[in-house]
Amino acid sequence: MKMKNKIIYVFIMLAIIGVSCKKDFTERTSLTSTSIDNYYNTADEVRATTSTLYSGLPWAGFMSRGLDDIGDVMSGNSHSYEGNGDYRAFVVFSQSAATPLVSYCWTAYYKVGGWAASFLQAFELKKTLGGDAVILDPAIAECRFMLGVTYFYIGRTFGAAPIIDDPGKVALGGNYNIPRYFKEDILRYAIEQMTLAEAGLPDSDVPGRVTKTAARAYLAKMFLYNQDYTNAAAKALEVINSGKYDLVPTEQYATMFNSSSMNNNIESIFAIQYQLTGNPWGAGNQLQCDRGPSNLNTSESSMWELFRPSLDFKAAWEPNDLRRPATIMEQGWTMPAWKPKTADADYNAFMANGYKYDTIQATDKGGEKNATRSNIAKYVVGPGAAFGGEQVIAMNTGQNFMMMRYADVLLIYAEAILAGNGSTSDAAALDAYNRVRTRAGLAAKLSITLNDIMHERRMEFAFEGDYWYDIQRQGFAKAKQIIEAQNRGEVGTPLYVTFSENNMYLPIPATELLQDPELAKDPVSYYNK
Amino acid sequence: MNIQTNSVMQKKILKTIALIGVVVFGFSVHVFAQQNITVKGTVYNENNATLPGATISVKGTTIGTTTDLDGKFTLLVPATAKTIVVSFIGMEPQEVPVTSGPIIVNLTTTATALSEVVVIGYGTVRKNQVTTSISSVSQKDLKNLRVTGVDQALQGKLAGVSVTNNSGQPGGGVALRVRGLTSINSNDPLIVIDGVPFTSNTVSSSGYDGLGGGRGQTGNSFLANINPNDIESIDVLKDASAQAIYGSQGANGVIMITTKKGKSPEGKVSYDGYYGTAQITRRLDVMNLRQFAEYQNAVVTNPSTEFMDPSLLGAGTNWQDAIFRTGYTKSHSLSFSSGKDKTSYFASASYFDQSGCIEGSDYKRYTTRFNLDHTVKNWLNFGLSANIVRSIQNVALADNAPSGTIWLACIQNPLIPVTNSDGTWGGGVTVNGVTYAQDNPVADSKSRGNEVIQNNIFGNMYAEIKFLKELTLKNEVSYTLGTRNNTAYQLGVNVGPRILQSTLIDTRNNSYYYALRNYMNYNKNIGKHYIGLTAGHEAQYSYWEQISGKKVDLTNNILDLSAGSTVQTTWELNGGKGDWSMESYFVRGNYIYDNRYSLSVSYRADASSNFGPNNKWGYFPGVSLGWTITNEKFFEPVKKTISYMKIRLGYGGVGNQNLPNGAPNPPYTALVSIWPGPAGFGSINGQATNYLAGIANPDLSWEKVITSNAGIDMSFLKNRIELTLDVYKKTTTKMLLFSTGPTFLGIGSSWNDLKAPIGNIGQMTNKGFDLSITTQNIVKEDFNWTTSLIFSHYANTLDKLLNESSSLTGSVYYAGNNITYTAPGHPLGSFYGLIYDGIIRTQADLDASLPQFGYPKDETHTWLGDVKYKDINGKDANGKLTGTPDGKIDEADMTYIGSPIPKFTFGFTNTLSYKNFDVSLFLQGSYGAKIYNFMKWQLEKMDNNSLNQLTSVLDRYTAENINGSLPRYTTTNSNNSFISDRYVEDGSYMRIQNFTIGYRLPVKIAQRIKMANLRVYLSAQNLYTFTKYSGYDPEIGSYDNGILLMNVDQGHYPNPRTITMGVNVEF
């Protein structure tokens, strides 16, 4: 190569170096996702995002632990097995700031709040980018509905606690030293969010989507907890008069809890919408595995009875309550359609004509003889399609979980009319109360007290995560009386616990206190900042 | 099983010995005596240049000559002469048998570290010209280490480079770190093979996630794709002034690998093979059946009928013996090479097969490599390198609480048989009337699998144009094509009464990467001045895509997606893809004056698709200085003692763009992503349910790492002692992290979190020193002894995060069991918890005990036999810690209870050769690191009557044994098992990592059988470990190769002891 050629070559190479990359070589967009800029242009696009808030995904922690451990184990409805200290803490009130499951529950509630608030901020951002308010505002109202529900739980469970309106902004700003706000302010915030939701939600929507009426049902409950009986009664009456909801008939009471065919039934006001799937993890209902009896475990469905009815709860039934077999399984309980099989021939012979709950049969031959001789029946849909039940995917069922039922509104209404008095014979109150009661096959009452309502609530909503709050809202003295009278033990080994004032609320997890020392200080007002 | 495997091993050994015998005696030929012989030949150096002035002598005589200007010689030797010796100053002398044909001799440079060539990125320099901090190791230092990957072989060999086996699993899990912890995200160094960077980070196998287990520590670094026998040398760029030429990819250090080239004009065939067996040497002391029955009878309300009379029981199942087995390793590696005239080539093929010590774990690897360099024209060189690698790894689920195989084996009830009398798997245990379906770890290992099959094709091609003698232009294209198939499956089997549903998750991944690189080199000596300049441009692009399907109820357990249930709701189908690109410009200038003063300056600019419009470009400078004092005139008088001394100073800034797991792509954007399956309402008129993935941060930028380095290289007594010491400070700023805080933010970084925005947060510092000393203790004709010691120390501190109360936490088991907590001012991954202060043994103790977490003193809360914790701290009205005890035990009393980071690590190698024997002893160790023994937490937890425990629980507190060493059994007071220093142990150890004895056949015998070289050896890896640690193995490593769970033993897959025998043959 001649020198001249070499020099030409150098210039060619330099030219190649200079222009070898196109300007946009390092400009890349996601290959799998879209972005706020070019999405959220139709109502369906927006509702495809709010759909996540109804899914089990943000609610997974609440559903798998908070619901049972707090709502039913602490209240004495459920027993959690003796062999595991992590869960026993909620039976004997030995939870502390260092108990892992306390942290788990805390995280679960705030996760729903964080997701709802982040989605809400994204929709607000889209509005500033020229998004259509007509399609975005109802979605914003749905987010507020979820925030209302979440903070209602947070205030009741932990008392004073932080409020996070815009998680992304807080995260980027880096100031996590957020104080605890008064419990009253948390409940006020929940009511505010729910009121905004009521204003922004449509009158009616497709089954399962929340509406103005659903918001009113929650408002009624929130007002009731604030002992604002007038507003509670008014909101409950709006729901009753709307004609949009009703009780399912007696014969459907059990199927409401063990068949996905009853998803979004007439009684269901707000429900977590579950899909029969294991992917994404949490999109399916995973209550069955924690509740179902271990002798119903099959190759298709997992059951390990982490939670069971307590002895105290079993003793609380009135005779001939038709809800009993829908609520718990005990000696003699059968489900002829379910024909579970295992590798054991004796077991298979025992179950050949359908599932039998039997505490006399040997436990490795199909018997079931746990510490309280019973299991929870609600949200147990069975051993799977191959064994005569509906389809189950390992830990997952496709059954919705009802967070708010019409029966609740009826009992809220009755209690709001009672309005803290000793008893009432108000016709409207009695009608609402007796509708729930007579559906269960029990005799109507002519006069009711708070204890009557509380008993009815306990039996009606057992294992739906509500009874703890019913006990707690009656104040420490009453709560102590109720809890300390409960037999929280096992057959042959009764257990009574002591209940102290600091058991009224769960402690704030230690790891949170480390990251936000403000949480250890006295609470402050959210509204007079 | 053990006996069987051992007899297999014996057979193999016998076979090998027999083969060697045949080779030695079968092929021997006679050499006929003659009067006088004329011996002719040529001597070359290692770069195939002829070597004038080399000395040729007949061994044991004074007869000799030297080579001429062309490196040729002619020598008349007596007929009785058998061997001639060829020598040259600074080179290894070589003995060559006398033959009638022309002799070709290749001399190699004496391996004093200072004369080696060092690869520095887009070029090479001699070690004595280096001004930055670089550690090097050559093939001969690694040859005795019979390990899967090169990364493992580097353990204890390079100062400042820490190598920890994250797992004893075949083919997996090595944490390779250069000078401490550079990043919160990946700390994997950049791998550069023959000048070609491979940015592929450690990949974990994830298959078990879908089967309800967790991830193991099975990450494979890119280095696992390379046959260790193909490697000539490894250089590690340790400080930023050296790394800066790699800019944003260099911050974690750069491992420069040089592979073998054809050198000898004579063709060379080389075979290397070995066989080894491996065993886990330790067992945990868990209860046998009799002990367990006594324990359970004492703690449950309704004891099992089987346990009525424990004295009638046998020892029960030893689950540890059931899961451990004897592993083996087989390796064959064959290469052909030659370098003559204008062409040199090196081609190799290898097969590696290892079965692990836990059922269900093994690894196979096939590699081929081809290197070619050719001079096309006198102004044009061309070359290529091509590699094809296939690996098949079966992963046993270990290192995972609560579902790992070892974890399960230790807690499994000894009453359960491994198999029932009818051959089905044992399982299920009834306690208090409930049948628990506990896992059978052996059945799990045999019926559950996680297989990763990877095919990688990678290589590069270059053309180098020589414009002038001093000026060259190199154009390179390099590429990687990869496929990765990961199948996780559960076969449909019966375990006890349970019928397990068969499941298959099949994941396929394709990826490719390419880089275009053009750079010019200019090198010129003008008098006492030397100038070297490099300038270039590089463009890189990387793409991956994935598809994954799931089926259940597989017909006849056929592991294929076409088998299985046709009910579509049981199916899963997922996809994914992503890409990344980068464009860079770089320059470097080297200037040396009179071999005394050196200056090196480099600068690189990178633009990455990972960063937003506000910060797309990053700029990375590096500068270093060197002063060779021994070349100064004034130093002459001391030179007899100090033969070489150089002082180096370096400063530079490099970057990191490794992102935390789960980051959106690109990470600065706010995306709307689709769930992989139905969620919520499923589909809304065709719009799949979706969610927000990430929160926008257009300011997102590079992680910046700034290093200052000062070093000294010295050698004494004519290079008999060589020493290198480097002191450094490395500061990482603008770390790329999810802006996570307390969980009440509601967004986070976990797999199931809505992701917090990614920010440039915080700062971290590593300070330390690296020391290496090599001494030639004895240098004699037939006796040599070399010792080398390396010593590395660093201290890591997280300086700041978003604010003073921000922290990083690492949890295990279930969310909420936080083991590590790192707030600013502390080393990363520090253990955090309460301080154990004995047991409440008497009523007086109980009365005097401080309230713990507000518990009343009763049997369900704080009671006799419970743990007391130390009151060390309290809070004031503002929630601030006061630092003084406050009379109660609560979260304020949690504190730092140990750091997983060692105070120092060391490696100590002794190599002896006597005549034809060689012996090497390599010790390696770590001092001062703590281990969080989470296995012990589980095995002394005593709150679950159906799980086995250590025998230490037999000495628990009871009313009859108030002096018991452990607290009472309780299911109600979880306080006893809170995270505390009860489970923190000293993780210091010293390990006989390798002991090898080799024998080399004398040259003349080898020659008779047409061999250039034959060596046989016996080698023991991980022979013995001196440690106080009570678990299986003190070398724990990092969970999932991260930094927040280092040295947390969750049922860690221990490193086995391996006995290997092998042979190297060269023709």
Side-chain angles (χ1 to χ4, degrees), chain A residues 20 39 49 52 82 94 174 521, chain B residues 432 537 687 690 803 855 878:
Chain A
S20 61
Y39 198 62
T49 293
T52 289
E82 74 153 8
S94 65
K521 295 184 190 172
Chain B
N432 282 3
H537 171 265
Q687 292 292 322
N690 56 45
N803 61 51
Y855 293 164
N878 288 323

Side-chain angles (χ1 to χ4, degrees), chain B residues 864-942:
Chain B
L864 294 169
D866 281 340
V867 167
K868 278 188 291 187
Y869 294 108
K870 233 177 210 159
D871 179 22
I872 54 164
N873 214 334
K875 281 179 178 167
D876 64 15
N878 288 323
K880 290 265 181 229
L881 293 170
T882 57
T884 49
D886 61 351
K888 58 185 181 191
I889 308 298
D890 55 18
E891 68 282 349
D893 299 305
M894 291 183 171
T895 185
Y896 289 91
I897 52 177
S899 164
I901 296 174
K903 295 199 166 60
F904 62 84
T905 55
F906 62 93
F908 184 56
T909 311
N910 276 287
T911 314
L912 288 98
S913 61
Y914 176 70
K915 294 195 170 160
N916 292 315
F917 289 92
D918 60 89
V919 174
S920 92
L921 176 68
F922 170 39
L923 306 177
Q924 170 273 117
S926 159
Y927 176 81
K930 294 284 189 284
I931 294 174
Y932 199 94
N933 191 346
F934 197 67
M935 272 299 273
K936 191 171 164 188
W937 175 87
Q938 172 62 57
L939 293 173
E940 288 185 350
K941 200 173 173 210
M942 289 189 291

